[in-house]
Amino acid sequence: MADIKAELNELFAIPPVVELPPDILGELQSILRLHSISPQELSYKWESYSMKMGSEQTKLDLTTARAFKKDLQEMLERDSRGKAHVRSVDKRGAFATPRSTGKGDDVFGMLDGIVPNTPVPQRSASGATKRKSAFETPAVPKFNKADGMSSPSDARANGNLNGVQTVAFSERQNAGQIVETLNGHLTAYDPPIAPSSDPRVKLTANTDLKKFYYKPMAMHLSEASEVLDDRIDEFQLLVQSYHSLEDSAFGNAANQATSEIVAVGRIASDTLEGKLNAASLMLEASRRTGAGLRVPLKIESTSHEFFPGQIIAVRGINASGEYFSVSEVLEMPLLPPAASLPSTLDSLNERLGLDEEDPENTAHALNVILSSGPYTADDNLSFEPLNALCEKAAESYADVLIMVGPFLDTEHPLLASGDFDLPDDPSIKPDKATLNDVFRILIGAPLVRLAQQVPSMTIILVPSVRDVVNKHVSWPQEPFEKKVLGLPKQAKVVTNPVTISLNEIVVGISAQDVLYDLRREEVIVGKPKDSSILARLPKHLIQQRHFFPLFPPSDRTTLPKTGTEEGVATGMPLDTAYLKLGEWLNVRPDMLVTPSALSPFAKVVESVLVVNPGPLSKRRGAGTYAQLTIHPRKVTKEERNYERAEGTTVGHHLFDRARADIVRI
């Protein structure tokens, strides 16, 4: 009992206080007994709870401790109800899992690589040229699977994949070069002499993280169809309100009629195979408004961009009963921009050290670094780009480091084959090692050292469906398990996708490469409204109010080949029943982070700062990251007066005060 009290005091007492009050300590001990968890696990749950509620408003006292206890109890009851529902379905046998009908086929490839090959002692070429720094990757011992009996190919031993020479990271060209800048007239961040003693960023989760802990691969067709139908019906209400239409203006596009109507539905193709084109466009209605019927669209007099899954509103007529002739595609209403009270902005500016009369300089600006995986090249697991990024974050005293997966990538050839050396660490037992251990040493350890160098930094980790250490195989995706990955206290694990607030700034992040899929599936009828594809694709997300509006996702066999033996990409394992978790609920984000294989960019689209940092490491060379200098949102006297008189909020205008640089690592 004394040990538990001491551990709770160590984890929850905030210096200079060294012991918690007895009533708070009693509540925490009660939670430990009720849920049979350790104090360390309780601290992780408290961290997640306080991030959800807003860390500034969630100080540990008796009231918040009881609210925390109640929240955990409610979550446990919801989980119990969900499990009971699953058990009742299993008893009925209504949704039995189909089994393979193959004759002895190795369906999951489990027999690959069991027969040992000739051992070869060579290592990848990049192993001899590792960077000597505080973030150096631990040395790698001579141990691999099957007691060292598997052998890398000659191409791997020579640092060559698929016949293409890999450029060693230490020999990369133009490191630190800025390849693109947005708002170049704004001053770039100038690091201070020493880091701030306290965090300059208040992190709040605007997403209900608990909803992402659902059971994957347990989708019911009825639930999925209801989600798809509800989305159409919700958009119809939005269109009706935005365009001031009567109920009588709407109709079923599949019904033959001589009068013009407005129809709202989802874009679909008339075939399951092949790419969508202007001749194969169909409109799918919801069951409530159109019995779920599909009707071909004939578009001649208007220009528009379409993609599968897009919700649109069209005006036209179905005179023949065979197709719906479109005369106009109605504009979709956008969510309002994010806004805050002037008094809230004033208090946040004080946190940055900015007074009303102070002249603005970079000392008051936020330094935010964005990166996305992969974090190492295909021929090694040295994670040199990751270590270089940590060096950069430490040198510039970054306030926030947002890292989007994949970290340990299922599409990495060495991880996919299992033919790699384990990190040299005494805590790893070769016969019991897991990929969590590999993550802890190769990725967690550099982040721990970074957090020690800059204690005020906030590190945010977003998983990807390609991450082998995340048990959630479908999108939307639950966070990493922080406990087993050896991450520092400053690291916050969030869901994929997620909407968070950094001070007043609303940031939307999704690890899925939706821009690449949209570029492949988009169909343009007539002349495009925006000639820039990098501005047009994010606009689809903003108009559709969703992180992944494409449905169904692209066939993964049509995506670019990976470096694995099979060469098939992971694609988008979408759990349709939980598609609503990817929606934008109340406001447009100030910033949208959309990692993509397309060229890295930073653009302003519909008042949203859209950033694609690009992969930190390409398959055969170094990649890029994004560095943002975000200047404070100054409040005018007039805005303060309006708040006092009418309680008026003001827009954040991030696109006017943020400088974004795309930088080569």
Side-chain angles (χ1 to χ4, degrees):
M1 181 65 72
D3 292 340
I4 291 178
K5 287 184 178 179
E7 193 171 355
L8 287 173
N9 283 323
E10 181 183 353
L11 291 169
F12 289 91
I14 301 175
V17 178
V18 294
E19 289 189 3
L20 295 170
D23 51 356
I24 297 177
L25 200 58
E27 289 292 342
L28 296 180
Q29 289 175 312
S30 173
I31 296 174
L32 294 181
R33 290 192 299 270
L34 282 172
H35 297 275
S36 300
I37 58 178
S38 66
Q40 184 68 56
E41 189 172 350
L42 180 64
S43 73
Y44 292 140
K45 292 182 180 295
W46 167 256
E47 185 178 303
S48 176
Y49 174 77
S50 52
M51 187 169 69
K52 178 186 73 171
M53 302 303 293
S55 56
E56 291 299 301
Q57 289 76 24
T58 316
K59 302 297 183 183
L60 184 58
D61 54 29
L62 185 59
T63 302
T64 54
R66 287 173 176 169
F68 174 48
K69 181 179 180 180
K70 182 180 178 183
D71 185 79
L72 289 178
Q73 189 65 29
E74 289 175 351
M75 184 166 60
L76 180 64
E77 290 173 359
R78 282 196 296 270
D79 291 344
S80 300
R81 287 196 297 268
K83 290 176 181 177
H85 172 70
V86 170
R87 284 195 297 269
S88 66
V89 170
D90 290 342
K91 288 178 181 178
R92 291 195 302 267
F95 298 93
T97 304
R99 302 298 179 188
S100 170
T101 57
K103 299 180 179 179
D105 292 343
D106 179 20
V107 179
F108 298 103
M110 291 181 176
L111 301 181
D112 291 348
I114 286 183
V115 180
N117 299 320
T118 305
V120 178
Q122 295 99 324
R123 293 193 190 177
S124 61
S126 63
T129 56
K130 291 182 179 178
R131 294 167 57 88
K132 303 294 183 182
S133 70
F135 297 97
E136 183 175 5
T137 304
V140 179
K142 296 277 187 175
F143 183 88
N144 51 28
K145 71 171 188 176
D147 295 324
M149 295 303 291
S150 59
S151 68
S153 65
D154 293 338
R156 176 191 160 201
N158 296 325
N160 187 6
L161 293 169
N162 299 334
V164 180
Q165 185 67 32
T166 301
V167 179
F169 185 77
S170 59
E171 300 173 3
R172 68 195 187 281
Q173 302 294 318
N174 304 317
Q177 179 187 20
I178 297 176
V179 297
E180 182 177 333
T181 298
L182 177 71
N183 290 335
H185 63 283
L186 297 176
T187 309
Y189 185 78
D190 186 17
I193 299 175
S196 172
S197 57
D198 297 316
R200 303 171 71 224
V201 170
K202 183 181 78 170
L203 174 65
T204 308
N206 299 336
T207 299
D208 190 350
L209 305 183
K210 294 180 294 185
K211 291 183 178 179
F212 288 76
Y213 289 90
Y214 63 89
K215 184 179 179 181
M217 302 177 68
M219 181 173 61
H220 300 160
L221 290 179
S222 59
E223 295 176 359
S225 63
E226 287 172 5
V227 168
L228 295 174
D229 271 357
D230 289 346
R231 185 161 166 78
I232 296 175
D233 294 337
E234 289 167 4
F235 266 87
Q236 179 165 323
L237 295 175
L238 292 172
V239 169
Q240 182 175 6
S241 174
Y242 182 71
H243 292 280
S244 302
L245 299 173
E246 300 291 337
D247 291 341
S248 58
F250 294 90
N252 182 1
N255 288 344
Q256 182 177 3
T258 56
S259 58
E260 190 176 64
I261 63 166
V262 173
V264 179
R266 176 181 292 104
I267 290 295
S269 176
D270 63 358
T271 176
L272 295 177
E273 299 178 356
K275 186 177 181 295
L276 184 72
N277 57 63
S280 64
L281 283 173
M282 300 194 79
L283 186 72
E284 177 186 310
S286 71
R287 284 176 291 186
R288 185 179 70 85
T289 60
L293 296 175
R294 291 183 175 183
V295 60
L297 292 180
K298 186 175 182 181
I299 303 173
E300 295 178 345
S301 59
T302 185
S303 299
H304 202 72
E305 302 89 25
F306 302 95
F307 60 88
Q310 180 184 23
I311 308 298
I312 64 168
V314 289
R315 191 189 303 275
I317 188 172
N318 185 353
S320 64
E322 297 180 356
Y323 61 85
F324 188 80
S325 181
V326 177
S327 59
E328 180 187 4
V329 180
L330 275 64
E331 180 184 359
M332 282 292 178
L334 302 180
L335 282 167
S340 300
L341 291 171
S343 57
T344 303
L345 295 175
D346 282 335
S347 64
L348 292 171
N349 287 341
E350 288 178 13
R351 187 188 190 100
L352 300 176
L354 177 66
D355 293 329
E356 185 178 348
E357 305 300 329
D358 285 349
E360 187 175 320
N361 58 61
T362 57
H364 304 133
L366 285 178
N367 179 19
V368 179
I369 294 179
L370 307 174
S371 68
S372 67
Y375 289 89
T376 190
D378 271 9
D379 68 331
N380 67 79
L381 290 175
S382 62
F383 285 91
E384 291 174 295
L386 172 69
N387 292 308
L389 181 73
C390 290
E391 288 179 21
K392 177 63 180 176
E395 291 170 2
S396 63
Y397 301 132
D399 294 298
V400 182
L401 173 60
I402 298 177
M403 305 178 70
V404 184
F407 295 91
L408 292 183
D409 190 0
T410 57
E411 295 182 4
H412 193 288
L414 303 185
L415 290 172
S417 66
D419 187 8
F420 61 91
D421 297 330
L422 289 172
D424 186 11
D425 188 270
S427 65
I428 293 183
K429 297 180 180 179
D431 57 335
K432 296 182 179 179
T434 67
L435 287 169
N436 288 337
D437 297 318
V438 177
F439 186 104
R440 177 169 52 84
I441 302 303
L442 297 182
I443 298 171
L447 294 180
V448 169
R449 292 192 289 271
L450 173 61
Q452 291 170 346
Q453 290 193 352
V454 191
S456 61
M457 183 185 302
T458 299
I459 304 171
I460 301 170
L461 281 78
V462 184
S464 163
V465 292
R466 287 163 49 185
D467 271 303
V468 296
V469 294
N470 193 299
K471 63 182 181 181
H472 218 95
V473 297
S474 57
W475 191 97
Q477 190 177 21
E478 72 179 20
F480 288 121
E481 289 188 47
K482 185 176 179 180
K483 180 179 178 181
V484 299
L485 299 180
L487 295 170
K489 186 176 181 180
Q490 292 93 321
K492 312 298 181 184
V493 291
V494 296
T495 58
N496 172 31
V498 69
T499 304
I500 58 176
S501 289
L502 305 175
N503 291 346
E504 81 282 0
I505 304 163
V506 180
V507 184
I509 311 170
S510 177
Q512 196 63 29
D513 190 353
V514 63
L515 299 185
Y516 185 92
D517 290 348
L518 282 173
R519 187 190 69 166
R520 184 185 177 279
E521 300 291 345
E522 185 187 42
V523 174
I524 301 175
V525 178
K527 185 179 180 180
K529 297 178 181 178
D530 195 326
S531 58
S532 171
I533 189 170
L534 295 181
R536 192 171 68 243
L537 297 179
K539 192 173 183 178
H540 291 318
L541 276 63
I542 297 170
Q543 290 177 335
Q544 296 292 299
R545 308 177 176 203
H546 204 282
F547 286 107
F548 197 90
L550 187 68
F551 185 85
S554 298
D555 183 352
R556 67 195 193 110
T557 60
T558 64
L559 299 176
K561 300 296 182 183
T562 67
T564 61
E565 184 177 348
E566 295 80 8
V568 181
T570 305
M572 177 56 160
L574 178 66
D575 202 317
T576 310
Y578 294 91
L579 197 62
K580 198 171 182 64
L581 294 178
E583 288 184 356
W584 301 356
L585 299 180
N586 302 315
V587 296
R588 267 178 282 168
D590 296 306
M591 179 165 63
L592 179 62
V593 182
T594 57
S596 176
L598 302 180
S599 300
F601 66 87
K603 293 186 178 296
V604 177
V605 182
E606 298 289 357
S607 302
V608 178
L609 173 58
V610 184
V611 183
N612 168 25
L616 192 70
S617 176
K618 300 178 182 177
R619 290 182 58 192
R620 300 183 180 90
T624 57
Y625 66 94
Q627 182 159 17
L628 276 65
T629 303
I630 302 176
H631 294 270
R633 167 63 163 94
K634 283 196 169 184
V635 182
T636 65
K637 292 181 179 179
E638 290 78 7
E639 289 171 337
R640 293 190 186 94
N641 292 335
Y642 277 125
E643 180 189 4
R644 295 189 192 101
E646 304 175 11
T648 307
T649 58
V650 295
H652 297 159
H653 300 162
L654 179 69
F655 55 89
D656 275 339
R657 56 187 177 94
R659 173 189 173 115
D661 295 313
I662 306 296
V663 188
R664 296 187 191 275
I665 187 63

